[in-house]
Amino acid sequence: MEKIMKIQACLGAATWAALSLLYSMGNIEILLSFAFLVLVPLTLLLTNTVTVEGKPFKSLKLVSICHYPFAVLGTFSVIYEPGMLAGFLAVGWFLYTFMLAGYGVVRLLARGWKPLDEALIDIAFIYVVLGGVWLVLHRFDVEGLPFPSVIVLLTAIHFHYSAFLVPIFTGMLGRYLYTEKIKWPGFPIVAIGVISGPMVVAAGINFGGVLEYMAVVLYVLVLYWLGIGTIIVMLKGKGASFGRLAVIISSLALLGTMSLSYLYSYGNTFGPVILTIPDMVIFHGVGNAFGYGLLGVLGWIFLAPPSRDNYYSFPVSKLRGKKYVGSSYMDKYKVRENPPAVRGLVDSFAMFENDKFHPQKVDFRIRRFYEDTQPFRLIAKTSWRRGFRFLSRVYHELTGRFGQLHLEPHRDVVRKQEMVGAVFPILDVADGREAPRVWLREDKETGETIFVAVYSYHVYNGKRYMNIALPLPWSVMTGILRPDNDEENGLLLTSEKIADEKGHEGIYLTVGQGITVRLPISETFHIQVVDGSSGRLRATHKMKICGIPCLELEYEIFEQR
């Protein structure tokens, strides 16, 4: 893919130079076409997103291969005078920005909001679609807008430069800080300011007057902080000398163009006018395009700080439910001829040994529960947190309809729910993962299916993870859990990643056979021995949505022989 993106960028640069000479374009149009043809493919090269196996995302393949023809359409849309032809050509570029936004959304969903430096890159590709919208409005010469035509065109260029390049470069800076182990406590504040700044400025422009001036001042201050901080980091850091020098010059250009933005806004608000729009296009626009944009993207390409996050590439079960899952769903997948002797969720907990987790420190009764699950009796109490209690009734009704993840709703008096079920192997070829086995759990009193979970495991980067599939209607939810030791002899199983480590932990949803997204859900199990003489265990299962605690299940676990 890198070769394709380099070819696209070189071809785009040659096309931009030729069309700029052949056609009489205004300065704004020249800068816009430069973004279409040159800067966009360079940013795709810079943010090249691959799985841990080195395979490029399908969405990246799409935007890389499709770039050039759509960029030519966008360029001709600004060559021709506003009207129907220019408008329809601009629609072509808008469709491409929609694909870029899709690339950003796929990156975001595959990973979640963390780390912040990657989220900045995602937001940049999502923002650019707004530039496509404003371009279409201008090229169709839509009447009735509350702004002059030139402001509409400048808004289009804003979302192809400031709202697009600044978040990407800030994301690269975050990667560089992590790679070089440089501390900058202010980076998260700057990052949030970069994400929110374009929309704050857009809102200020809508209201005009002093509010516009205040919005511009806030955004300029954020970018001043970013520019100065980037220069300091480049002086401290290591890497390609040309890359660091290019980023330093790019940051100086940003400081200069932001100073011009402030002077323009101050003059327009309080008078007298210091800079006109033509002045801003020549000095601010050219400085952003070539000083900040081109030098910045080339500098970061030379430095090439790697992503600190890992994009999913783990085994996903082939199993997909229909309208109803329920306990009978797995009957057709059972191993009927010479079934292996499977009694537990894992064959041996020793397989999870690594440099940070030591199974021998876990009490033997807890290990026995996972290795010989069948004889154990479970009694659960479900507690929903405030703010989720009403939703728990809706959730209970919905999950009852498809027979999966059917937890108790909130009750004033918590009901003790005894769960009964079975553990049995299923066909490897049906599931696609290693040694899959099903743990069915039903409500002993009502007979309703609670969980249909298919347990397996996989290894990544020297660690073995629990890989638990829960078939849903036409999809599957996958919980990737990491085993940890607690402070005593208990066991922790968590989907929460270790900070700044590349791991597979998380809760994922795969729709159909191809689209996998990381859900904003996390869960942690803590299993402890509470009565050594009887061997009674307690498991606490805590769940969070967007980091907010929402649900807790407490299991009493008894062994019955």
Side-chain angles (χ1 to χ4, degrees), residues 31 74 115 136 179 293 331 372 393 445 501 504 530 546:
L31 296 176
V136 169
T179 303
D331 288 348
D372 190 11
R393 297 182 176 89
E445 181 180 329
E501 281 195 15
H504 281 169
V530 292
C546 298

Side-chain angles (χ1 to χ4, degrees), residues 314 458 465-467 478-482 494-495 504-506 508:
F314 51 80
H458 72 271
Y465 295 91
M466 277 195 176
N467 184 316
T478 306
I480 307 296
L481 305 183
R482 182 190 72 250
T494 181
S495 68
H504 281 169
E505 302 95 328
Y508 302 85

Side-chain angles (χ1 to χ4, degrees), residues 94-169:
F94 163 72
L95 292 175
Y96 183 74
T97 62
F98 195 79
M99 286 189 269
L100 287 173
Y103 170 53
V105 169
V106 167
R107 279 176 43 95
L108 181 63
L109 292 178
R111 189 202 62 255
W113 284 100
K114 295 179 181 179
L116 186 55
D117 32 275
E118 297 302 316
L120 282 155
I121 297 169
D122 306 334
I123 292 295
F125 284 107
I126 295 170
Y127 268 157
V128 78
V129 75
L130 298 176
V133 171
W134 284 99
L135 179 69
V136 169
L137 292 174
H138 183 268
R139 302 324 288 170
F140 270 120
D141 200 17
V142 175
E143 296 181 357
L145 296 174
F147 313 107
S149 176
V150 68
I151 297 299
V152 176
L153 189 58
L154 288 173
T155 305
I157 205 170
H158 169 73
F159 280 103
H160 283 87
Y161 279 93
S162 181
F164 179 57
L165 294 177
V166 173
I168 288 177
F169 293 173

Side-chain angles (χ1 to χ4, degrees), residues 350-377:
M351 70 172 69
F352 294 97
E353 175 93 36
N354 61 58
D355 58 346
K356 292 185 178 179
F357 174 65
H358 306 289
Q360 68 272 17
K361 291 184 178 180
V362 177
D363 190 279
F364 73 94
R365 285 159 286 204
I366 297 174
R367 284 183 275 131
R368 188 163 63 207
F369 167 67
Y370 278 93
E371 295 169 355
D372 190 11
T373 311
Q374 197 68 53
F376 284 84
R377 175 186 175 204

Side-chain angles (χ1 to χ4, degrees), residues 16 25-40 71 74-75 77-78 93 131-132 134-135 138-139 152-161 289:
W16 174 78
M25 289 192 286
N27 290 327
I28 298 177
E29 290 79 3
I30 288 174
L31 296 176
L32 261 176
S33 60
F34 184 72
F36 300 161
L37 288 162
V38 181
L39 293 180
V40 166
T75 300
S77 79
V78 298
W93 178 252
W134 284 99
L135 179 69
H138 183 268
R139 302 324 288 170
V152 176
L153 189 58
L154 288 173
T155 305
I157 205 170
H158 169 73
F159 280 103
H160 283 87
Y161 279 93

